Amino acid sequence: MSVFQSAGRTDLGKVRKRNEDAILSRDDARLWVVADGLGGHSAGDVASTLIAERLAAIEVGLSAPDAIDAIDDSLLAVHEELRLLAQQRRVDLIGSTVALTLIRDGIGLCGWVGDSRVYCYEGGQLRQLTVDHAHAPPPGVTSQAGAGVLTRAVGADQVLSIDWLAVALKADTQLLLCTDGVNKEMSDQELAEVLGTASSAEAAIDNIFACCLSRGARDNVSAIVIRAPA
């Protein structure tokens, strides 16, 4: 089994009173997850934590198809629970975004709902693998200054749709999973520079958080870096 180096962290940030993000790093199952509870709504921290807890129960050693089925089933179950909880609490929405990576046989399988992201860094280039489920910000508003309006989230619509993609992992490949508290503060070019110069996954995480916190960290900040074995 190939050993992938990973490091992850979540932080309240400098403005928010509650951390509504959650992360999950399961080197044993080769599964990594970030989730961002919807700010401004009730119990966003409950939603993101529930996602992390349920995905933490995925069995080790599952094949790629079985693991994807188990992840889909877990997210669909959380989706229904959150919709029921919102009804019980008489609130419009209790929801969360999620972005995850499952690694099997040298392939990164990335699933997501919402605007949490998975990036791939290799050959000195950074590219965003996931496509935000969100309307673009209004004209004149940059992505760093404010995100768009989400079009999809766990716990939101009646039917949950989870997008998946696959990426081949090379010897120098790094994957970055993050909530929007990271890409609100750092450009793709800055993220690429961090990933390209850091000596380890832990060092990359240290640098990402130092940058976001130094710039005011207006949102909760969560990120995971995964490095393929050389």
Side-chain angles (χ1 to χ4, degrees):
M1 180 189 299
S2 298
V3 177
F4 289 83
Q5 181 191 78
S6 71
R9 194 176 306 165
T10 183
D11 191 281
L12 175 67
K14 298 288 191 179
V15 175
R16 299 294 176 91
K17 296 180 179 179
R18 180 171 58 187
N19 191 349
E20 295 183 315
D21 286 0
I23 68 171
L24 173 67
S25 292
R26 292 194 59 195
D27 292 353
D28 60 339
R30 285 170 289 166
L31 173 64
W32 298 267
V33 183
V34 297
D36 182 356
L38 303 189
H41 295 278
S42 173
D45 55 335
V46 172
S48 61
T49 299
L50 190 57
I51 288 172
E53 288 177 349
R54 292 301 170 79
L55 294 180
I58 299 294
E59 292 181 35
V60 175
L62 294 178
S63 66
D66 287 345
I68 289 173
D69 284 346
I71 291 167
D72 283 347
D73 289 346
S74 295
L75 291 177
L76 290 168
V78 170
H79 178 73
E80 294 302 329
E81 287 184 46
L82 293 177
R83 285 175 56 82
L84 179 60
L85 184 60
Q87 291 177 358
Q88 293 171 342
R89 296 191 179 186
R90 293 185 169 86
V91 295
D92 291 337
L93 175 65
I94 299 176
S96 177
T97 70
V98 63
L100 62 92
T101 295
L102 172 76
I103 294 179
R104 291 292 185 274
D105 300 320
I107 301 295
L109 302 161
C110 304
W112 77 101
V113 180
D115 63 355
S116 290
R117 296 177 175 179
V118 182
Y119 292 90
C120 177
Y121 178 85
E122 62 184 25
Q125 300 295 319
L126 182 77
R127 58 193 173 104
Q128 183 180 333
L129 298 177
T130 56
V131 179
D132 295 349
H133 297 137
H135 294 304
V141 177
T142 65
S143 60
Q144 264 90 352
V149 178
L150 282 179
T151 58
R152 198 184 302 182
V154 179
D157 297 329
Q158 184 171 355
V159 178
L160 176 64
S161 179
I162 305 160
D163 283 353
W164 285 90
L165 59 80
V167 59
L169 304 179
K170 301 177 182 178
D172 69 337
T173 300
Q174 297 183 65
L175 298 178
L176 167 65
L177 286 67
C178 65
T179 58
D180 66 349
V182 171
N183 54 272
K184 282 177 181 175
E185 304 296 349
M186 298 182 68
S187 68
D188 286 4
Q189 181 177 352
E190 289 170 327
L191 291 171
E193 183 175 352
V194 166
L195 294 172
T197 58
S199 60
S200 65
E202 188 66 46
I205 288 292
D206 286 343
N207 292 339
I208 288 170
F209 276 73
C211 182
C212 290
L213 292 171
S214 72
R215 293 178 177 177
R218 292 160 285 175
D219 201 349
N220 308 142
V221 182
S222 299
I224 298 172
V225 171
I226 308 162
R227 283 190 163 189

